Amino acid sequence: MPAQEHQRRRIGPARYPVPDAATYLAGGWRIDRSVYDLRSDVEGRFRGTAHFRPDAAGAGLLHIEEGELTWGGAVHQAHRTLRLTPLPDGTAAISFADGRPFHDLDLRTGRWTAVHPCAQDRYEGIFTVVAADEWHLEWRVGGPAKTQLLRSVYRRRDA
């Protein structure tokens, strides 16, 4: 898909308000993610799972993603771990596994935009909850190191 197509398409289905992000996200999800390098017009795909489960300290949830990334004709195992710390108002703070802050998350209206500066690049994430068992996430990354678009659909594993 040409880079200009990526600029026009947006994830934007109807919103589903979520009063408590941690309660909503807890459990297992299937992930289907498209990864586009907008500079080289290369497209890849990640398919896998996400689990939001209590961390050992009991202070929040670990967000563990595992799966396969198909990129440049090769298939690679891929994984990441984030930490979700619930806040009293139903929002959450998201951090990397090593404790560095990543972004905040407020799904109370069913849609949230988060921004994360990473060196000279800028990550902008749009979270859209579309149903009790489905949410979408679009990350736009821009800067001197990369220009990418990542579109993910999360569907509850038991749905």
Side-chain angles (χ1 to χ4, degrees), residues 23-145:
T23 299
Y24 173 77
L25 293 170
W29 300 83
R30 293 183 311 274
I31 308 167
D32 186 8
R33 176 177 299 138
S34 299
V35 182
Y36 306 100
D37 183 316
L38 299 174
R39 288 187 184 151
S40 64
D41 204 27
V42 172
E43 180 178 344
R45 181 161 291 317
F46 173 86
R47 287 200 171 116
T49 59
H51 296 278
F52 290 83
R53 58 180 171 239
D55 66 10
L61 299 174
L62 288 180
H63 169 186
I64 301 167
E65 290 189 2
E66 300 173 309
E68 292 184 342
L69 173 66
T70 303
W71 187 261
V75 178
H76 310 275
Q77 293 300 307
H79 67 276
R80 74 172 179 175
T81 300
L82 300 172
R83 185 174 310 276
L84 183 148
T85 303
L87 300 173
D89 62 0
T91 64
I94 310 299
S95 58
F96 294 102
D98 63 8
R100 290 175 299 125
F102 187 14
H103 62 83
D104 51 353
L105 182 63
D106 182 352
L107 298 176
R108 293 176 295 184
T109 67
R111 188 169 173 101
W112 182 250
T113 300
V115 174
H116 173 72
C118 184
Q120 294 180 345
D121 293 336
R122 180 180 191 270
Y123 286 67
E124 181 178 314
I126 301 171
F127 296 76
T128 305
V129 182
V130 298
D133 58 0
E134 183 175 332
W135 58 285
H136 298 179
L137 173 56
E138 177 178 287
W139 282 106
R140 290 184 175 271
V141 185

